[in-house]
Amino acid sequence: MRKLILLATLALTAAVMPSALASASPAPATVAAAPTAAQLLAKTTSCKQISNGKYKTDEDASGKTVAVCDANGAVFWKADMDIDCDGQRTSQCNENTDCCYQDDTAFHQSDGKPLNAAKLPYIVVPSSSSIWKYSSSGLKGGGSCAVIYNGKVEYAVIGDTGPTQIIGEASYATAKDLGINPDPSNGGTDSGVTYICFKNSTVSPIENHSNAVSKGQSLATTFVNNN
């Protein structure tokens, strides 16, 4: 009888312990949600212009309308989106699909190859000029940026440089992910794109989009909190 009581006691203890341990365990940490497009755009309603004048959105644009604006921890501009298909030759990006195709990008992958515009979301910054020198704002190749369009946010890297007088360009992959026609011959959009690039940031390796997303979300949260 004593043996039966002992066995029953052990069984009851075994049944109670897991739930007791579970209740004693700390709850898993919650990960804060990344800022929404609306939250990011709310921080770009006014412009503290740092560019010396403004940029055109296209070569044949009639006027210069886009300023580069300063913010706490970032710079931003509101422009169009032209499609950059330069870099590695793919079925989407080559001499036949893009009249202005070049087989190189200003910044390269960790293996030394040009970036892959069809695969990697990246943006293009204007080459340094008297209007604006991107490096003076803490931007560089592989820097982290948030691109906002039509309620969507895409995290991208600075992957290429463009003409000194024009702004508003991103890779095939960036456009595709944002729901913009990515075709280099007839794609892009004429307006409605906001580019926010975070100062003194680097995504490493530059070709790792998952790293770009995690880094971008973290920096975007800081941007929203500090502006």
Side-chain angles (χ1 to χ4, degrees), residues 38 45 50 67 103 119 127 190 224:
T45 54
I50 55 172
D103 62 358
K119 180 180 178 182
S127 296
D190 291 335
V224 168

Side-chain angles (χ1 to χ4, degrees), residues 7-218:
L7 289 172
T9 302
L10 288 172
L12 180 62
T13 302
V16 171
M17 281 183 67
S19 59
L21 288 171
S23 62
S25 300
T30 55
V31 178
T36 64
Q39 288 174 318
L40 289 167
L41 292 177
K43 303 300 182 177
T44 65
T45 54
S46 61
C47 177
K48 179 183 177 183
Q49 184 172 329
I50 55 172
S51 56
N52 181 27
K54 297 182 178 181
Y55 287 95
K56 289 184 175 184
T57 54
D58 294 291
E59 185 66 42
D60 57 357
S62 58
K64 299 179 178 180
T65 59
V66 181
V68 177
C69 310
D70 194 32
N72 189 4
V75 298
F76 65 88
W77 57 93
K78 300 183 179 186
D80 64 340
M81 182 182 287
D82 297 324
I83 307 303
D84 188 324
C85 234
D86 293 340
Q88 294 185 37
R89 189 175 283 100
T90 62
S91 59
Q92 300 92 342
C93 297
N94 56 65
E95 296 88 346
N96 296 322
T97 61
D98 183 1
C99 67
C100 307
Y101 172 77
Q102 298 179 39
D103 62 358
D104 200 6
T105 49
F107 308 109
H108 292 169
Q109 296 181 164
S110 54
D111 61 3
K113 293 180 180 178
L115 302 182
N116 185 331
K119 180 180 178 182
L120 180 69
Y122 69 74
I123 75 155
V124 180
V125 292
S127 296
S128 296
S129 71
S130 59
I131 300 177
W132 179 53
K133 186 177 181 182
Y134 64 87
S135 61
S136 66
S137 295
L139 306 189
K140 56 186 173 181
S144 175
C145 303
V147 188
I148 302 111
Y149 176 76
N150 198 25
K152 295 181 180 179
V153 182
E154 172 70 300
Y155 292 100
V157 293
I158 296 173
D160 205 359
T161 56
T164 58
Q165 306 290 318
I166 300 173
I167 202 168
E169 188 175 5
S171 68
Y172 181 107
T174 306
K176 183 179 178 182
D177 287 355
L178 286 170
I180 297 170
N181 179 2
D183 191 316
S185 63
N186 59 25
T189 185
D190 291 335
S191 62
V193 185
T194 299
Y195 303 79
I196 303 173
C197 289
F198 305 109
K199 299 175 181 178
N200 304 310
S201 63
T202 306
V203 174
S204 182
I206 190 174
E207 68 270 17
N208 190 317
H209 183 52
S210 294
N211 287 356
V213 172
S214 58
K215 169 80 78 172
Q217 289 178 337
S218 175

